[in-house]
Amino acid sequence: MGRFITLEGGEGVGKSTLARGLAATLRARGFEVLATREPGGAPGADAIRALLVQGEPGRWDALEETLLFAAARLNHLRETIRPALARGAWVICDRYTDSTRAYQVAAGGLDAAKLDALNAILRAERPDLTLVLDLDVGEGLARSRGGSAGEDRFERKGADFHARVRAEFLAIAAREPGRCKIVNAAQAPEAVLAQALAFVETLL
Ligand code: TYD
């Protein structure tokens, strides 16, 4: 089996830049690396992604959203993540179940037991390592503005929503210190990569 690393954090914290840096570093060391993201990462999941990240912030409630994320996640696991892990690749996934806990449960108000039940139904693999990129909410939202056109449904949910998201990521990391490591995303990209690599090296 390969290794399963997830990158988590709020808007504009630099997960995609870190994913590129980690993938390049691990490939240079001779590992097969699959870099992927949620929602998406497989054709069916990508089609669901458009429903989630586009349109009015209120078009889905927290349970509806969670079920769409769950369908996308199962498709992504089946088509992409599980085959890669089975052939021994390292999988670096930008967002995973902790995002659902932060956005839909903590910020969106979904009952946590519903997410726990869905994770059990999906038999969602537990990451070997989760890097939580932490950054001031205002700075993150400013950085993420001007990202992919039209994919701003969550960015538009307001500062309070995003403050709850950040607080929950920190709470998850505090509850699961073995799996989750906090990375200071206010640093320069090279320093973020160096801090993240120190944690990744513990998996080697
Ligand atoms: P994306 O453009 O990929 O945002 P980012 O670059 O910040 O990762 O859009 C994904 C959005 O979906 C993001 O705002 C977080 C949200 N999301 C959830 O609310 N729940 C989830 O389970 C996942 C995977 C993502």
Side-chain angles (χ1 to χ4, degrees):
M1 287 298 272
R3 298 277 195 283
F4 185 25
I5 301 173
T6 57
L7 308 184
E8 296 281 10
E11 307 296 313
V13 297
K15 292 181 283 79
S16 49
T17 303
L18 176 59
R20 280 195 297 277
L22 288 176
T25 307
L26 288 166
R27 282 183 190 126
R29 294 189 194 175
F31 296 102
E32 185 196 346
V33 179
L34 177 93
T36 187
R37 67 156 180 197
E38 289 204 351
D46 277 324
I48 295 171
R49 175 187 173 88
L51 297 172
L52 283 160
V53 300
Q54 298 173 9
E56 286 308 307
R59 83 187 280 201
W60 310 112
D61 73 12
L63 178 58
E64 293 160 358
E65 229 165 62
T66 302
L67 294 171
L68 287 166
F69 278 114
R73 180 162 302 137
L74 186 56
N75 182 254
H76 186 209
L77 284 165
R78 180 171 61 78
E79 296 265 8
T80 307
I81 295 177
R82 288 175 182 149
L85 291 173
R87 65 176 184 265
W90 289 58
V91 174
I92 298 174
C93 187
D94 183 338
R95 296 197 183 280
Y96 189 58
T97 56
D98 296 318
S99 278
T100 318
R101 197 168 300 280
Y103 283 78
Q104 280 68 50
V105 175
L110 182 82
D111 177 7
K114 294 199 169 108
L115 176 59
D116 294 338
L118 275 171
N119 284 339
I121 290 167
L122 266 54
R123 298 179 189 280
E125 273 76 352
R126 185 175 188 274
D128 296 297
L129 173 68
T130 296
L131 298 169
V132 174
L133 278 74
D134 184 56
L135 181 66
D136 172 76
V137 168
E139 195 174 324
L141 286 170
R143 281 191 197 174
S144 69
R145 236 160 254 140
S148 317
E151 293 205 336
D152 61 351
R153 192 175 148 257
F154 286 97
E155 282 162 41
R156 290 162 62 203
K157 280 186 181 268
D160 287 359
F161 181 95
H162 291 286
R164 291 198 294 276
V165 167
R166 182 189 189 192
E168 181 61 17
F169 279 125
L170 293 174
I172 292 168
R175 282 198 300 272
E176 293 185 64
R179 172 174 70 89
C180 301
K181 305 295 173 195
I182 296 170
V183 173
N184 174 9
Q187 306 173 94
E190 314 78 67
V192 170
L193 177 59
Q195 195 185 354
L197 275 172
F199 293 124
V200 169
E201 264 151 23
T202 65
L203 298 180
L204 286 168

